Amino acid sequence: MGPLDIQWYFRAGWVDPKPVKAAYQLCEANLVTGVAHLKKAKTGGFMDNQQFREWSRKAADWGAEYRRTLAARPVRSQVAPGDIARHIAPSPPEQSEGMEEIFEDFERFIVPGMTHCQHPNFFAYFPANAAPVSVVAEYLVTAMAAQCMLWQTSPAATELEIATIDWLRQAFGLADGFSGSIQDSASSATLVAVLTMRERALEWRGNQKGLAGGPRVRIYASGQNHTSIDRAIWVSGIGQENLVHIPVKGDSRGMDVMALEQAIKDDIRAGYLPAGIIGCVGSTGVGASDDIVAISAISKEYNLYLHVDAAWAGSAMICPEFRHYWEGVDQADSVVVNPHKWLGAQFDCTAHFIRQPEETVKTLAIEPEYLKTHGKDNLINFSEWSVPLGRRFRALKLWFLLRAHGLEGLRAMIRNHVKWSGELCERIRQAADFEIITEPMLSLFTFRHAPAGIDDLDQHNLDLVGRINEDGRIYVTQTRIDNKTVIRFQVGQFETMRENVMGAFEVIAAFARSGN
Ligand SMILES: *Cc1c(COP(=O)(O)O)cnc(C)c1O
């Protein structure tokens, strides 16, 4: 960047270009002498531009080679606790070390301690995709050290965030009354929702007065809810006892709606303050989903805030045929979806859709003098929509991703995953010594090995998962449902092909049938 570019940058007019140009020239001169000084003083370590270029290229080459050889690595890291820590120096070095050495240690000591979430045989937890195009965008963001707390601290970041959130809104088929922001995690978005429901119920007195002495704020969610909801309840000061777990029923294991309404009525009678409901579409354990139409009707009747957690399943809503899972979602006050799971945006990237951002801003905005953007009203400062002040530039990778793949490309991938997962489920159903425990919800289902003559099936399946994962060819996890330990299987990686999914059965069956 030269002085001319600087002039261009500040053409918007709130900074006079002349002093900036002078400052830039001074700065450049200082930088040159600064680097020379560093070199002369042999403090070393300061990466000059040429070295930066070379090492960035090496990193890019390494990343491409990593992806090329990914399938040959064990999916789950095979190290024992402490294996990696042993290789890390106990204290920071006093003298500069060479980049060759640092990079070599990265390959020798760090990489073996990595579990490869993008491996085509990763069937554990939920997917954590990093489409190469989003990795490239992240690299650019990192190079700029973007800081996106206010419009002013990176106008492009704010304006692209507004645009990409609206792209996602359209892609998921959400009503145009939603706006939103990009957060680091679904946990953060849910915390913001819980804080907003708390403050709305308390008529915005909680932040000032605290919760002591006030009525008991009550939040309702299904017994299948994600632990991020419990955490949000703790952090917001509402307290675990005031998170009312509603029992689930039916095949979709959604909240029993009559029980939900009864719990609200009982709480009102007891003098408590019902504040909000957290619905879930696609729970982490088995894909449990609440009837959003029914619970949104209750939220309206009792004037409660409704937050919908579709952190994993939400990505699949780019396919219209799956939208029945969250029918009624347009009635929610907020919705959270993680494009960093199934959609391929490099972690971290959480879309937090909000109906009434004024309520969230009223809950979270704080404006010390140094953050005021005088004379620039009506601008969105996204730090007022979330808990942290500093914010990464997360919209760029979404923009790159959605443009490079197109919605059709992403839909084809998700449809394949759902189809292959269904095929595998049928294959397992046919095996006499296995049983399906929960039917596929999108690409997630659970099963267990249940041959005759084994007393403790829970321990048997837990051991089986352990042996499968130590082998390293595939990676699965277990969960508990209906008092059973079961094997959980989901398909969602960009690199996964049908052979990977069907091949998983061979590995699972071989270990299951070989005994301990
Ligand atoms: C993954 C997940 C979360 C938590 O997401 P983070 O972004 O890791 O906080 C919450 N709810 C559901 C249903 C999830 O699948």
mmCIF file of all heavy atoms in Angstrom, residues 353-370:
data_model
loop_
_atom_site.group_PDB
_atom_site.id
_atom_site.type_symbol
_atom_site.label_atom_id
_atom_site.label_comp_id
_atom_site.label_asym_id
_atom_site.label_seq_id
_atom_site.Cartn_x
_atom_site.Cartn_y
_atom_site.Cartn_z
ATOM 1 N N PHE A 353 -29.825 -15.297 13.910
ATOM 2 C CA PHE A 353 -30.903 -14.491 13.321
ATOM 3 C C PHE A 353 -31.759 -13.911 14.443
ATOM 4 O O PHE A 353 -32.104 -14.618 15.395
ATOM 5 C CB PHE A 353 -31.777 -15.354 12.409
ATOM 6 C CG PHE A 353 -31.023 -15.935 11.245
ATOM 7 C CD1 PHE A 353 -30.572 -17.244 11.278
ATOM 8 C CD2 PHE A 353 -30.740 -15.156 10.129
ATOM 9 C CE1 PHE A 353 -29.857 -17.784 10.211
ATOM 10 C CE2 PHE A 353 -30.020 -15.681 9.059
ATOM 11 C CZ PHE A 353 -29.584 -17.006 9.106
ATOM 12 N N ILE A 354 -32.109 -12.641 14.314
ATOM 13 C CA ILE A 354 -32.865 -11.962 15.370
ATOM 14 C C ILE A 354 -34.026 -11.185 14.756
ATOM 15 O O ILE A 354 -33.850 -10.492 13.753
ATOM 16 C CB ILE A 354 -31.968 -10.967 16.157
ATOM 17 C CG1 ILE A 354 -30.651 -11.616 16.557
ATOM 18 C CG2 ILE A 354 -32.681 -10.451 17.391
ATOM 19 C CD1 ILE A 354 -29.737 -10.708 17.344
ATOM 20 N N ARG A 355 -35.185 -11.302 15.375
ATOM 21 C CA ARG A 355 -36.373 -10.578 14.929
ATOM 22 C C ARG A 355 -36.332 -9.098 15.301
ATOM 23 O O ARG A 355 -36.649 -8.227 14.511
ATOM 24 C CB ARG A 355 -37.600 -11.150 15.635
ATOM 25 C CG ARG A 355 -38.335 -12.159 14.885
ATOM 26 C CD ARG A 355 -39.223 -11.545 13.840
ATOM 27 N NE ARG A 355 -39.731 -12.654 13.056
ATOM 28 C CZ ARG A 355 -40.308 -12.546 11.886
ATOM 29 N NH1 ARG A 355 -40.428 -11.364 11.333
ATOM 30 N NH2 ARG A 355 -40.742 -13.576 11.260
ATOM 31 N N GLN A 356 -36.011 -8.851 16.575
ATOM 32 C CA GLN A 356 -36.043 -7.473 17.086
ATOM 33 C C GLN A 356 -34.677 -7.116 17.639
ATOM 34 O O GLN A 356 -34.493 -7.142 18.857
ATOM 35 C CB GLN A 356 -37.052 -7.350 18.229
ATOM 36 C CG GLN A 356 -38.343 -8.065 17.972
ATOM 37 C CD GLN A 356 -39.499 -7.094 17.936
ATOM 38 O OE1 GLN A 356 -39.335 -5.953 17.482
ATOM 39 N NE2 GLN A 356 -40.637 -7.520 18.396
ATOM 40 N N PRO A 357 -33.754 -6.740 16.760
ATOM 41 C CA PRO A 357 -32.414 -6.439 17.267
ATOM 42 C C PRO A 357 -32.414 -5.316 18.314
ATOM 43 O O PRO A 357 -31.530 -5.282 19.175
ATOM 44 C CB PRO A 357 -31.632 -6.044 16.017
ATOM 45 C CG PRO A 357 -32.577 -6.036 14.882
ATOM 46 C CD PRO A 357 -33.856 -6.653 15.308
ATOM 47 N N GLU A 358 -33.451 -4.442 18.265
ATOM 48 C CA GLU A 358 -33.491 -3.353 19.269
ATOM 49 C C GLU A 358 -33.459 -3.934 20.683
ATOM 50 O O GLU A 358 -32.837 -3.375 21.576
ATOM 51 C CB GLU A 358 -34.746 -2.486 19.190
ATOM 52 C CG GLU A 358 -35.327 -2.166 17.851
ATOM 53 C CD GLU A 358 -36.053 -3.330 17.196
ATOM 54 O OE1 GLU A 358 -37.195 -3.633 17.565
ATOM 55 O OE2 GLU A 358 -35.442 -3.930 16.285
ATOM 56 N N GLU A 359 -34.158 -5.071 20.864
ATOM 57 C CA GLU A 359 -34.219 -5.667 22.208
ATOM 58 C C GLU A 359 -32.857 -6.188 22.633
ATOM 59 O O GLU A 359 -32.461 -6.054 23.787
ATOM 60 C CB GLU A 359 -35.223 -6.828 22.228
ATOM 61 C CG GLU A 359 -36.651 -6.363 22.069
ATOM 62 C CD GLU A 359 -37.653 -7.517 22.195
ATOM 63 O OE1 GLU A 359 -37.242 -8.691 22.083
ATOM 64 O OE2 GLU A 359 -38.834 -7.238 22.415
ATOM 65 N N THR A 360 -32.140 -6.767 21.678
ATOM 66 C CA THR A 360 -30.806 -7.290 21.995
ATOM 67 C C THR A 360 -29.848 -6.139 22.277
ATOM 68 O O THR A 360 -29.067 -6.175 23.232
ATOM 69 C CB THR A 360 -30.309 -8.156 20.816
ATOM 70 O OG1 THR A 360 -31.236 -9.222 20.651
ATOM 71 C CG2 THR A 360 -28.934 -8.717 21.073
ATOM 72 N N VAL A 361 -29.942 -5.100 21.442
ATOM 73 C CA VAL A 361 -29.054 -3.946 21.629
ATOM 74 C C VAL A 361 -29.352 -3.261 22.969
ATOM 75 O O VAL A 361 -28.441 -2.876 23.706
ATOM 76 C CB VAL A 361 -29.194 -2.964 20.441
ATOM 77 C CG1 VAL A 361 -28.472 -1.660 20.713
ATOM 78 C CG2 VAL A 361 -28.648 -3.614 19.163
ATOM 79 N N LYS A 362 -30.634 -3.197 23.319
ATOM 80 C CA LYS A 362 -31.008 -2.594 24.594
ATOM 81 C C LYS A 362 -30.437 -3.418 25.757
ATOM 82 O O LYS A 362 -30.131 -2.888 26.821
ATOM 83 C CB LYS A 362 -32.542 -2.558 24.692
ATOM 84 C CG LYS A 362 -33.079 -1.528 25.647
ATOM 85 C CD LYS A 362 -34.574 -1.361 25.440
ATOM 86 C CE LYS A 362 -35.215 -0.743 26.665
ATOM 87 N NZ LYS A 362 -36.674 -0.759 26.596
ATOM 88 N N THR A 363 -30.294 -4.701 25.537
ATOM 89 C CA THR A 363 -29.750 -5.585 26.570
ATOM 90 C C THR A 363 -28.225 -5.465 26.666
ATOM 91 O O THR A 363 -27.670 -5.513 27.758
ATOM 92 C CB THR A 363 -30.130 -7.056 26.254
ATOM 93 O OG1 THR A 363 -31.552 -7.142 26.178
ATOM 94 C CG2 THR A 363 -29.630 -8.013 27.314
ATOM 95 N N LEU A 364 -27.559 -5.292 25.531
ATOM 96 C CA LEU A 364 -26.099 -5.439 25.522
ATOM 97 C C LEU A 364 -25.297 -4.176 25.221
ATOM 98 O O LEU A 364 -24.092 -4.145 25.462
ATOM 99 C CB LEU A 364 -25.689 -6.508 24.504
ATOM 100 C CG LEU A 364 -26.146 -7.930 24.828
ATOM 101 C CD1 LEU A 364 -25.794 -8.862 23.674
ATOM 102 C CD2 LEU A 364 -25.509 -8.435 26.111
ATOM 103 N N ALA A 365 -25.938 -3.145 24.681
ATOM 104 C CA ALA A 365 -25.141 -1.985 24.255
ATOM 105 C C ALA A 365 -24.575 -1.244 25.458
ATOM 106 O O ALA A 365 -25.245 -1.049 26.465
ATOM 107 C CB ALA A 365 -25.995 -1.058 23.410
ATOM 108 N N ILE A 366 -23.351 -0.874 25.333
ATOM 109 C CA ILE A 366 -22.699 -0.084 26.378
ATOM 110 C C ILE A 366 -21.795 0.848 25.607
ATOM 111 O O ILE A 366 -21.149 0.432 24.655
ATOM 112 C CB ILE A 366 -21.936 -1.024 27.332
ATOM 113 C CG1 ILE A 366 -21.397 -0.296 28.529
ATOM 114 C CG2 ILE A 366 -20.824 -1.771 26.636
ATOM 115 C CD1 ILE A 366 -21.058 -1.267 29.671
ATOM 116 N N GLU A 367 -21.796 2.110 25.940
ATOM 117 C CA GLU A 367 -21.075 3.021 25.059
ATOM 118 C C GLU A 367 -20.166 3.977 25.817
ATOM 119 O O GLU A 367 -20.526 5.121 26.076
ATOM 120 C CB GLU A 367 -22.088 3.815 24.225
ATOM 121 C CG GLU A 367 -21.600 4.015 22.828
ATOM 122 C CD GLU A 367 -22.555 4.903 22.014
ATOM 123 O OE1 GLU A 367 -23.641 5.238 22.493
ATOM 124 O OE2 GLU A 367 -22.161 5.281 20.918
ATOM 125 N N PRO A 368 -18.985 3.507 26.185
ATOM 126 C CA PRO A 368 -18.040 4.454 26.788
ATOM 127 C C PRO A 368 -17.587 5.461 25.724
ATOM 128 O O PRO A 368 -17.719 5.211 24.528
ATOM 129 C CB PRO A 368 -16.879 3.567 27.222
ATOM 130 C CG PRO A 368 -16.960 2.349 26.370
ATOM 131 C CD PRO A 368 -18.403 2.182 25.995
ATOM 132 N N GLU A 369 -17.044 6.586 26.182
ATOM 133 C CA GLU A 369 -16.714 7.677 25.274
ATOM 134 C C GLU A 369 -15.848 7.217 24.089
ATOM 135 O O GLU A 369 -16.093 7.579 22.949
ATOM 136 C CB GLU A 369 -15.995 8.789 26.063
ATOM 137 C CG GLU A 369 -15.737 10.052 25.269
ATOM 138 C CD GLU A 369 -17.012 10.677 24.679
ATOM 139 O OE1 GLU A 369 -18.073 10.602 25.329
ATOM 140 O OE2 GLU A 369 -16.927 11.230 23.562
ATOM 141 N N TYR A 370 -14.863 6.364 24.360
ATOM 142 C CA TYR A 370 -13.928 6.018 23.280
ATOM 143 C C TYR A 370 -14.550 5.172 22.173
ATOM 144 O O TYR A 370 -13.971 4.986 21.129
ATOM 145 C CB TYR A 370 -12.659 5.351 23.842
ATOM 146 C CG TYR A 370 -12.853 3.959 24.376
ATOM 147 C CD1 TYR A 370 -12.644 2.849 23.557
ATOM 148 C CD2 TYR A 370 -13.229 3.729 25.700
ATOM 149 C CE1 TYR A 370 -12.814 1.566 24.042
ATOM 150 C CE2 TYR A 370 -13.407 2.452 26.184
ATOM 151 C CZ TYR A 370 -13.206 1.373 25.347
ATOM 152 O OH TYR A 370 -13.376 0.100 25.837
#
